[in-house]
Amino acid sequence: MPRFLLSAFRCQPIRFLGLLTAVAGGFLFSACDKKGGTKDWNTPGSAPPPPTAPAAVPQPSPAPPPPAVPEPAKPTANTDWPESHEPTTSGLRFITYNVENWLTMDREIERKKIPSAPKPEKERDAAARIVSRHQPDVLGICEIGTPDDLKDLQARLKAAGLDLPHSHYTGGNDETRHLGLLSRFPITTTHKPEKLDYQLNGTTYGMNRGIMDATIEARGKTYRFVGVHLKSQREVEEGDQAQMRLQEAHLLRGHVDSILAANPNERLIVYGDFNDNWGTPPLKAVVGTYGSPTYLTAIRAKDRVGVHWTHYWEIRDSYSRLDYITVSQALRKETEFDRCQIIDPKDWNDASDHRPVMAHFR
């Protein structure tokens, strides 16, 4: 094909047949003229240039455009959330945090195996720094070791500008990992659940980390904190890890039911590392029957870019939502859901494999 025809076809394919009929009379237009064509077509509000000759052959109907494919929904950013908070003057601010093995254990540090090593100094300082930036009134902790480890965290928080002088420490069958609670306000009472064991395939098991239960008086209101760290997703020789976690969730739910049966108006906060995702049997067991007076509402917190994960499992290279704060119906109306968030500092991974979850109550 001659180059001028190829050029015309390439730049104005719609009128190519018309061009063939007009070429004998001279080239009346040039579709690739530097002053015309393409620029005019892209100018808003401009119309395409009129054809210079009638089409000799009827044009086929253009193919219908492909159906539009909706773009996937993008996370909603909330850049208004501050990276730090001032101490509260009303209501209550609460953080739940798995501080990842704040205890003495065999570790591998910089590719060297070190027996009976404490949590590295860098990680402990990072965790205390992250928490202190947000000035919680109450801090619920998973994976704390001994009472001295809890005191160590308490001291580092105070050195970083957060004084939580009141504490409670408890655990279950796991002699290594425990639960801790630190508070700005006095802890008035603590409770131990009546039942912390279950039957599975004819074997009796005890709840690994137990159940934290402590009541706090703050600014004329009473808040009851019930915290857990349910069975991990790691396989164990003793039994099926998923079934063990589900049985522990039932034990937690039984304790919640006993609390709400005694006082339906309890300002109850059930929190911790549930080690499972939303909608799974353990989570359903914990929150109870939707619409019932004893249903626990989960705070579906997000980070500043609108995502929900709280845990990174390096071995599997997976991100999951494992950490939750749920509230009773009496406390739901006092929960500021739009201010609740997953804390997402750049240095989160320096401290733990979990990110903290924060709730605000009026």
Side-chain angles (χ1 to χ4, degrees), residues 48-64:
T52 58
V57 180
Q59 300 295 309
S61 300

Side-chain angles (χ1 to χ4, degrees), residues 201-221:
N201 298 326
T203 302
T204 301
Y205 296 90
M207 195 166 180
N208 268 350
R209 286 85 184 231
I211 295 176
M212 164 73 67
D213 187 340
T215 301
I216 291 172
E217 293 285 345
R219 299 185 173 113
K221 294 182 178 180

Side-chain angles (χ1 to χ4, degrees), residues 113-133:
K113 292 185 178 180
I114 303 175
S116 300
K119 184 175 176 70
E121 193 80 11
K122 175 185 175 183
E123 295 180 14
R124 287 185 282 172
D125 283 342
R129 183 172 62 249
I130 289 169
V131 172
S132 64
R133 286 177 191 152

Side-chain angles (χ1 to χ4, degrees), residues 39 73 75 95 179 202 217 237 250 268 275 283 304 321 341:
K39 183 176 180 181
I95 288 177
L179 301 169
E217 293 285 345
E237 294 181 0
H250 283 304
L268 181 63
N275 263 318
L283 267 295
R304 280 177 293 171
R321 174 65 182 270
Q341 69 183 92

Side-chain angles (χ1 to χ4, degrees), residues 30-40:
S30 174
C32 293
D33 190 287
K34 292 182 180 178
K35 296 181 181 180
T38 304
K39 183 176 180 181
D40 290 341

Side-chain angles (χ1 to χ4, degrees), residues 56-343:
V57 180
Q59 300 295 309
S61 300
V69 178
E71 294 186 1
K74 297 180 179 179
T76 303
N78 191 340
T79 54
D80 293 335
W81 282 341
E83 294 186 359
S84 62
H85 289 79
E86 295 296 322
T88 61
T89 56
S90 62
L92 192 82
R93 185 183 299 146
F94 171 65
I95 288 177
T96 178
Y97 195 10
N98 182 323
V99 292
E100 191 191 9
N101 292 326
W102 194 303
L103 47 88
T104 299
M105 59 180 286
D106 295 343
R107 299 177 185 270
E108 184 174 332
I109 302 174
E110 296 180 355
R111 300 183 180 180
K112 295 181 180 179
K113 292 185 178 180
I114 303 175
S116 300
K119 184 175 176 70
E121 193 80 11
K122 175 185 175 183
E123 295 180 14
R124 287 185 282 172
D125 283 342
R129 183 172 62 249
I130 289 169
V131 172
S132 64
R133 286 177 191 152
H134 296 276
Q135 293 290 310
D137 298 304
V138 183
L139 173 65
I141 306 150
C142 297
E143 285 196 16
I144 199 74
T146 66
D148 285 340
D149 289 319
L150 183 60
K151 290 178 181 178
D152 177 42
L153 171 57
Q154 193 176 33
R156 289 172 188 270
L157 289 172
K158 187 173 182 178
L162 174 62
D163 188 14
L164 301 177
H166 308 281
S167 67
H168 183 49
Y169 171 90
T170 191
N173 277 19
D174 186 340
E175 297 180 354
T176 305
R177 294 167 180 82
H178 300 82
L179 301 169
L181 192 77
L182 298 176
S183 174
R184 186 190 309 276
F185 301 102
I187 298 173
T188 56
T189 56
T190 61
H191 303 268
K192 187 172 182 178
E194 294 182 3
K195 185 174 176 57
L196 285 175
D197 60 88
Y198 59 91
Q199 293 282 325
L200 187 61
N201 298 326
T203 302
T204 301
Y205 296 90
M207 195 166 180
N208 268 350
R209 286 85 184 231
I211 295 176
M212 164 73 67
D213 187 340
T215 301
I216 291 172
E217 293 285 345
R219 299 185 173 113
K221 294 182 178 180
T222 300
Y223 300 88
R224 190 162 179 175
F225 290 86
V226 173
V228 292
H229 181 191
L230 299 184
K231 171 71 185 75
S232 73
Q233 295 185 19
R234 290 174 172 84
E235 300 293 342
V236 293
E237 294 181 0
E238 304 92 276
D240 180 84
Q241 53 88 11
Q243 286 299 316
M244 296 172 78
R245 185 167 52 259
L246 178 58
Q247 293 302 318
E248 290 189 347
H250 283 304
L251 290 176
L252 171 60
R253 182 67 227 188
H255 185 57
V256 168
D257 285 339
S258 68
I259 293 172
L260 295 178
N263 181 9
N265 296 317
E266 190 83 69
R267 288 188 184 86
L268 181 63
I269 302 163
V270 180
Y271 69 91
D273 180 355
F274 293 169
N275 263 318
D276 223 325
N277 304 113
W278 184 252
T280 56
L283 267 295
K284 290 180 179 179
V286 171
V287 299
T289 303
Y290 180 76
S292 73
T294 60
Y295 180 74
L296 298 175
T297 299
I299 297 173
R300 303 298 299 277
K302 300 180 290 186
D303 66 13
R304 280 177 293 171
V305 297
V307 297
H308 299 263
W309 67 268
T310 62
H311 174 254
Y312 174 59
W313 192 347
E314 186 175 12
I315 294 174
R316 294 187 179 179
D317 193 22
S318 65
Y319 295 82
S320 304
R321 174 65 182 270
L322 304 181
D323 306 86
Y324 295 85
I325 300 173
T326 71
V327 296
S328 63
Q329 295 304 298
L331 188 55
R332 184 180 185 276
K333 58 188 177 183
E334 298 178 13
T335 303
E336 298 181 274
F337 289 94
D338 59 340
R339 297 182 63 200
C340 301
Q341 69 183 92
I342 295 170
I343 297 172

